Each structure stands twice: as C-alpha cells, then as structure tokens.
Amino acid sequence: GIGTTNPGSILDIGSNTLAAQARINVNAAANQQTGISFASAGTVGWFMYRPVSSTNLRFWDGTADVVTFQVGGNVGIGTTAPTAPLDIWRSTATNAIPMLSIRSDVNTLGDYSMIRFGEQSQTTYQKGAIIYAGQDANTRGKFHFALEDTADGTNVDLTDAKMTIQYDGNVGIGT
C-alpha cells in the first residue's frame, strides 16, 4: 500500500490529506510512448497509452487502437483521428451490426427513448428531438420527430411531435 496502512489489493494508492492527489504519473522520454498494460497470464488484452506521435490517449484491444481521446475533447471509436466530438468509424460495412445502438426499456406503452438537439445548456433550450416510443410488449413502436416552438427555455418532449411514423409504415404529419 502507498499512502494507506490497510491496502485492499496488490497495489492500493491512497491519501488522507486534502493537499495530496492520489494518482499515478507515468512519465517517459519525449521519444517514448507511455501507457499501462492490462494482461492475463502474460498476454496483454488491453493497453491504454499516449503514442509518441501525439498527445492523444488511446485504448488498444490487442489487435488495433479502438478508442481515441484527443486533447480538446474529440472521441474516436474505430478511428485515431476523430473529426467531431464523437466520431464512429468501421472499416467494413456489416449490415447486421449497427454502428450506433441506443437502447432502453421501451416494451410498455408510453415508454420512450429520445435524442434531443438544442442549445449548449444541458437543461434548457433543447428544441428538437427524435423519439422512439414503445407501443407493446414486443417493443414495436413509433418514431416521432418533435420540435418545441416556444421562445423560452421549455424543452421538447413527446407532446411536441410534428411527424410520426408508425411501425406499420403509416405516417402522420401535424396530427
């Protein structure tokens, strides 16, 4: 144990003072990468590292870099050069496997999942949404495209739907 008299694992780092920070500092020469390996029986399964060529933080899964965090906040899944806050890339198209899966328990009438769009605040002025609302125990449902139209901090919700696509293919606009 480092900074503790009662370690709970093989390596336990702790601090009981407000001035100290409990952290691990991995520091290498300018021409060397720094990282931490996660292995089982001597085989590295994951490697978290900063490459020599950049200040990014990357996760390697034993075969390739799979996640990259760039300085400035962009995150890449499947790419080491994300060009947006979240950039997802796959080298081969696989029709049966989605690129992004947003899931929740929508197998009850009235339950829904939502992607909101809006101003930078996380709590107000979210004026647009794509909503999937469950209709039955088989998770069949409806897609709603919603826009909240007041000039205030009210957020969009299911009652603001402007277009609905039902699971049978019927489309309602403005109804």
Side-chain angles (χ1 to χ4, degrees):
I2 300 170
T4 179
T5 57
N6 189 20
S9 60
I10 293 171
L11 176 60
D12 194 336
I13 301 172
S15 174
N16 58 4
T17 66
L18 293 176
Q21 296 181 22
R23 65 182 180 185
I24 297 171
N25 186 19
V26 180
N27 193 359
N31 61 349
Q32 296 177 331
Q33 68 185 19
T34 58
I36 299 173
S37 294
F38 299 90
S40 178
T43 302
V44 174
W46 284 91
F47 183 49
M48 178 178 65
Y49 75 104
R50 185 194 61 83
V52 174
S53 60
S54 75
T55 56
N56 296 342
L57 176 64
R58 294 185 184 167
F59 287 82
W60 181 76
D61 71 351
T63 58
D65 290 324
V66 292
V67 179
T68 298
F69 295 91
Q70 286 183 329
V71 171
N74 286 356
V75 176
I77 299 173
T79 177
T80 59
T83 59
L86 178 59
D87 189 348
I88 302 171
W89 185 81
R90 181 184 293 144
S91 62
T92 57
T94 306
N95 296 338
I97 301 171
M99 289 285 290
L100 177 64
S101 182
I102 299 172
R103 304 180 302 153
S104 91
D105 188 3
V106 293
N107 61 354
T108 303
L109 181 63
D111 291 347
Y112 61 90
S113 296
M114 174 172 23
I115 301 172
R116 281 187 176 161
F117 303 90
E119 201 264 332
Q120 67 183 359
S121 170
Q122 293 183 0
T123 58
T124 60
Y125 294 96
Q126 296 179 2
K127 297 296 188 177
I130 301 171
I131 303 166
Y132 182 81
Q135 297 298 298
D136 61 28
N138 296 312
T139 63
R140 293 184 301 179
K142 300 177 182 180
F143 260 115
H144 301 276
F145 294 85
L147 295 168
E148 203 288 323
D149 62 358
T150 59
D152 61 18
T154 304
N155 289 329
V156 66
D157 64 27
L158 187 56
T159 62
D160 297 309
K162 305 297 186 219
M163 182 174 81
T164 300
I165 304 172
Q166 296 184 31
Y167 62 82
D168 62 6
N170 289 341
V171 176
I173 298 175
T175 61

